[in-house]
Amino acid sequence: MSVTILAIETSCDDTSAAVIRDGYILSNLIAGQEIHRSYGGVVPELASRAHQANIVPVIDQAIKKAGIGIDEISAVAFTRGPGLLGSLLVGTSFAKGFSVARKIPLIEVNHLQAHVLAHFILEKGKENQVPSMPFLCLLVSGGHTQLIVVKSHFEMEVIGHTLDDAAGEAFDKCGKLMGFPYPSGPIIDKLSTEGDPNAFRFSKPFVKGLDFSFSGLKTNFLYFLRDKMKENPEFISENKGDLCASLQHTIISILISKLIKASAQTGITEIGIAGGVSANSGLRNLIKHEALKRKWKLFVPPVSYTTDNAAMIGITGYYKYLRGYFSRQDISPLARFEV
Ligand code: KG4
Ligand code: ZN
C-alpha cells in the first residue's frame, strides 16, 4: 500500500505545503511573504499573521495539485523547529488538528534534518540519484551554517558550525548595508554575474578546525563601505556588481575551504549541499569545479528544494512514517532544535 504524506512548513516567512507519495513529490506550494522586504528582515509578528492567512489556501491547493483525495493521506508531517515560535505554532496547530480530524499519525520534523534529506526527494520521470551514506553535507541557510556527517537518515553528526553569523546572514546583512531589501542573498547572486570577484578584497577569518565565522567579514564590509562613501557618496551604486561579486566570492571561498578540509579529515568524498544559500549560483559552480578536481561524488539539489519548502518536510516525514516515528498530540514547537 502506498504512503502519502501531507507536509507543512511554517518555520520562518514562507508558508509551504506539499504532498509526497512513496518518496515521490506530487505537489509543493510556497506562499512567500513580501511584507518583510522593506523591514530588512523577518518581522516575527507579521510572519505568524501571514501564516494564519495563508495556511488553509496553501494546503488546499497542495492537495488539489497532487490530484489526491483527502482520505488518501496516510499522515501529516510538520516542522517542529528550529524557527520563529509564532510561525511554528501555526503549522503545528494545523497539523495537530488535521491529525485528530482525519485519525492519522502526526509526525514532527526537524527543519535542519529536512534540509539535508531534501536530497532524497524523488521526481517522477527523472533519473533520481541520491547520496549513499555516509555523506558529508554543507548546510547553509539563513540561520545555520554546518558541516554534517550524515550516517543514516536520522543519524547526523555536526562536525563544524558557525561561531557567530550564518552564511545567509552574511549575505543578508551585507546586502542591507548596500541598501538591498531582505533577503539580499538572491539579489547579490544576480548582481554578481555583472561584477569582478577579485575587484575588492575582504577579510577571511582565521578559525581553527571545521568551524566558521562571518561576523568579521560583515564588520570589514561595513568599514570598507563607510570609507569609500566618504570619498565618493555614489560608491555603492557605481560599484554594485564588483561589490556583490567580491563579497559573494569571499563567502563561498570560506565555505568551500572548510568543506575541502572536512572531506580530507573524514575521508568522505560523497558530498551534498543544502539550505537557502546552496541556491547560490557562484557556490554551485565552484563546488562543481572542486568536485571534478577532487573526484567527489557531488549532489546539488534543484534550487526549489534548497530554500524553505514543505517537500523536504514531506520526505523526512515519509522516512519517519516507515520507521513508525510518530508524535503525540501534546507536542509543542521548539524555537531552538539541534540536528
Ligand atoms: O534555508 P532558507 O530558505 O531559510 C532558513 O532556514 O534560514 O535560507 C534563507 C537564506 C537567506 O539568508 C537568503 O538570503 C539565502 O538563504 N539565499 C541565498 C540565495 N537564495 C537564498 N543566498 C545566496 N544566494 C542565493 N541565490
Ligand atoms: Zn531553512
Side-chain angles (χ1 to χ4, degrees):
M1 218 182 76
S2 63
V3 175
T4 306
I5 307 288
L6 170 67
I8 301 164
E9 151 66 32
T10 63
S11 66
C12 192
D13 59 337
D14 292 313
T15 317
S16 182
V19 178
I20 294 261
R21 174 168 286 170
D22 298 330
Y24 285 88
I25 182 145
L26 298 186
S27 65
N28 181 38
L29 269 89
I30 302 169
Q33 301 180 359
E34 287 294 313
I35 194 154
H36 308 286
R37 286 180 72 81
S38 55
Y39 289 91
V42 177
V43 184
E45 176 61 20
L46 296 180
S48 39
R49 285 181 196 209
H51 283 306
Q52 288 253 9
N54 292 339
I55 193 155
V56 172
V58 169
I59 290 173
D60 192 42
Q61 281 181 46
I63 294 172
K64 283 201 181 106
K65 184 144 187 260
I68 61 159
I70 206 162
D71 51 342
E72 294 176 63
I73 298 170
S74 321
V76 55
F78 69 99
T79 307
R80 185 180 183 197
L84 301 170
L85 205 60
S87 293
L88 292 165
L89 266 168
V90 179
T92 307
S93 308
F94 187 97
K96 283 188 189 187
F98 193 82
S99 137
V100 170
R102 300 296 318 157
K103 298 189 177 59
I104 55 173
L106 177 68
I107 301 174
E108 61 163 296
V109 169
N110 177 310
H111 181 89
L112 301 175
Q113 278 187 355
H115 268 304
V116 174
L117 295 182
H119 284 100
F120 295 87
I121 299 169
L122 304 177
E123 293 183 4
K124 280 260 154 68
K126 277 206 182 159
E127 226 182 274
N128 294 291
Q129 281 224 350
V130 299
S132 40
M133 317 281 187
F135 77 98
L136 185 61
C137 190
L138 173 69
L139 170 57
V140 271
S141 71
H144 294 81
T145 298
Q146 298 182 329
L147 279 162
I148 303 172
V149 176
V150 187
K151 298 172 182 170
S152 73
H153 289 108
F154 298 106
E155 224 186 320
M156 300 186 189
E157 185 190 350
V158 178
I159 57 169
H161 64 93
T162 182
L163 304 175
D164 39 58
D165 289 347
E169 271 177 292
F171 273 105
D172 296 336
K173 288 179 177 174
C174 292
K176 193 175 175 184
L177 293 174
M178 289 188 279
F180 300 158
Y182 173 86
S184 308
I187 301 168
I188 293 172
D189 188 355
K190 197 154 169 264
L191 289 170
S192 289
T193 56
E194 299 159 14
D196 173 6
N198 296 309
F200 307 112
R201 258 181 209 287
F202 301 116
S203 67
K204 288 189 197 156
F206 260 117
V207 184
K208 278 201 194 134
L210 298 176
D211 290 336
F212 302 87
S213 166
F214 289 101
S215 63
L217 169 62
K218 181 191 61 195
T219 313
N220 177 220
F221 195 69
L222 169 71
Y223 291 154
F224 176 82
L225 289 183
R226 199 188 53 186
D227 293 346
K228 292 287 181 187
M229 296 284 279
K230 266 188 210 152
E231 294 164 16
N232 171 14
E234 302 305 319
F235 180 77
I236 295 179
S237 55
E238 286 172 8
N239 294 278
K240 254 185 203 155
D242 285 349
L243 277 169
C244 289
S246 303
L247 174 70
Q248 174 168 301
H249 178 69
T250 310
I251 297 173
I252 61 186
S253 44
I254 294 170
L255 294 172
I256 291 194
S257 67
K258 290 288 173 154
L259 180 60
I260 293 170
K261 200 169 177 182
S263 167
Q265 258 182 40
T266 57
I268 301 174
T269 53
E270 192 103 357
I271 310 283
I273 53 172
V277 178
S278 71
N280 184 269
S281 59
L283 177 65
R284 292 165 91 89
N285 289 338
L286 192 59
I287 206 166
K288 281 178 192 159
H289 173 79
E290 290 297 333
L292 268 178
K293 198 161 92 187
R294 294 167 198 282
K295 297 195 172 57
W296 288 347
K297 191 161 182 205
L298 179 67
F299 295 87
V300 176
V303 168
S304 53
Y305 302 148
T306 56
T307 45
D308 288 350
N309 67 89
M312 67 186 196
I313 306 302
I315 194 71
T316 311
Y318 171 67
Y319 283 110
K320 286 196 155 186
Y321 185 96
L322 297 183
R323 287 167 176 75
Y325 292 171
F326 301 139
S327 308
R328 289 163 36 139
Q329 267 294 323
D330 59 1
I331 192 165
S332 46
L334 296 172
R336 296 175 70 89
F337 199 1
E338 300 303 317
V339 149

